[in-house]
């Protein structure tokens, strides 16, 4: 066993059921486990790291991510939009962006996203997308905790003139994708020792029928 002590000016710690701000404290890592967080540690260690003024926090949790797509969104999707689309580019640009992503593109985005999540201190992510198996593989390999959903919906946004948004409905496809999503959740049970699991995620509320949303709630409760 190798123990490393890290000294920092500020640590977000946990005590008596709530987070606390610990000033001029330390944490000790034994191999790949945190074994101590507090003001001082008197046991011998093999290495000491001085973190200075850095802030040490628990791992962040991202509760809404699109890891196979978001690397392509920056300065494109959410930064542009028309007034008639509530100043968002989703309705007009999302169908085009999604159609341009093949499996290789999704994999490249996943690999980028794993590095980005780790770099900013995220240890748990909830992924809403359409490449569930690829995402589960990437999260497992990266050592993250992941909750993965294959999204489904009854229809999709469409605009024919760039001025008005309407919908292209395919309720049967929504039901098929919902059934596949339920099966996918079951397939992840116990994955990576419980680190990777699934959840149900109907897409935007306006692209799902009431029946699909109610069926989702019932399946989630089950």
């Amino acid at each position: 066993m190798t123990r490393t002590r890290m000294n920092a000016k500020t640590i977000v710690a946990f005590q008596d059921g709530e987070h606390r701000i610990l000033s001029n404290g330390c944490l000790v890592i034994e191999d790949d486990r945190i074994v101590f967080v507090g003001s001082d540690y008197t046991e011998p260690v093999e290495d000491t790291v001085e973190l200075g003024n850095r802030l040490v926090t628990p791992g962040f949790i991202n509760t809404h991510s699109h890891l196979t797509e978001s690397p392509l969104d920056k300065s494109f999707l959410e930064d542009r939009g028309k007034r008639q689309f509530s100043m968002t580019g989703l309705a007009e640009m999302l169908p085009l962006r999604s159609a341009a992503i093949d499996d290789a593109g999704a994999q490249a985005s996943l690999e980028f996203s794993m590095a980005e999540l780790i770099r900013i201190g995220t240890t748990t992510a909830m992924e809403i997308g359409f490449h569930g198996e690829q995402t589960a593989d990437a999260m497992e390999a990266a050592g993250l905790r992941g909750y993965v959903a294959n999204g489904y919906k009854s229809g999709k946004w469409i605009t024919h003139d760039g001025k008005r948004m309407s919908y292209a409905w395919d309720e049967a496809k929504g039901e098929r994708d919902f059934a596949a999503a339920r099966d996918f959740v079951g397939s992840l049970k116990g994955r990576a020792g419980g680190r990777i699991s699934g959840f149900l995620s109907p897409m935007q509320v306006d692209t799902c029928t009431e029946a699909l949303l109610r069926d989702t709630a019932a399946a989630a409760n089950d």
Side-chain angles (χ1 to χ4, degrees):
M1 295 184 294
T2 300
R3 290 187 177 183
T4 300
R5 172 175 175 156
M6 297 183 177
N7 298 322
K9 183 176 181 179
T10 306
I11 299 173
V12 179
F14 196 80
Q15 185 180 52
D16 298 331
E18 62 183 6
H19 287 96
R20 304 289 182 92
I21 300 299
L22 175 64
S23 298
N24 298 314
C26 68
L27 61 88
V28 178
I29 298 174
E30 187 176 279
D31 296 332
D32 63 349
R33 302 279 177 174
I34 297 173
V35 295
F36 177 85
V37 179
S39 58
D40 193 23
Y41 186 75
T42 58
E43 299 296 323
V45 297
E46 282 70 38
D47 190 22
T48 299
V49 179
E50 298 292 342
L51 296 177
N53 290 328
R54 292 180 179 175
L55 170 68
V56 180
T57 75
F60 294 127
I61 300 173
N62 185 326
T63 61
H64 185 137
S65 61
H66 304 289
L67 303 175
T68 61
E69 304 167 346
S70 288
L72 304 179
D73 292 348
K74 297 172 182 178
S75 299
F76 167 64
L77 196 60
E78 287 290 9
D79 295 341
R80 302 166 182 264
K82 295 180 179 179
R83 186 174 302 162
Q84 57 266 42
F85 294 146
S86 302
M87 300 307 295
T88 175
L90 288 175
E92 193 169 25
M93 300 178 186
L94 189 65
L96 298 175
R97 195 262 349 246
S98 298
I101 301 176
D102 56 13
D103 285 343
Q107 187 63 39
S109 293
L110 273 173
E111 292 172 5
F112 178 90
S113 294
M114 294 302 108
E116 186 174 52
L117 288 170
I118 293 170
R119 179 179 179 274
I120 63 176
T122 298
T123 55
T124 301
M126 295 188 72
E127 162 67 359
I128 305 168
F130 301 97
H131 298 80
E133 194 61 42
Q134 282 178 271
T135 302
D137 289 343
M139 285 181 162
E140 182 174 0
L144 296 178
R145 178 182 292 106
Y147 298 88
V148 186
N150 272 331
Y152 51 89
K153 52 189 175 181
S154 311
K156 59 183 179 180
W157 295 317
I158 189 171
T159 177
H160 297 288
D161 56 9
K163 298 178 181 179
R164 291 177 295 274
M165 186 179 71
S166 57
Y167 299 85
W169 296 100
D170 190 342
E171 295 183 27
K173 184 178 186 304
E175 293 295 337
R176 292 194 301 271
D177 291 346
F178 169 52
R182 286 182 306 189
D183 292 342
F184 177 67
V185 170
S187 73
L188 292 182
K189 188 175 182 179
R191 180 81 173 264
R195 266 196 303 113
I196 309 296
S197 57
F199 68 103
L200 293 174
S201 180
M203 302 305 279
Q204 303 82 13
V205 65
D206 59 322
T207 60
C208 294
T209 63
E210 178 182 347
L212 186 61
L213 293 175
R214 289 188 180 278
D215 289 345
T216 296
N221 287 334
D222 287 341

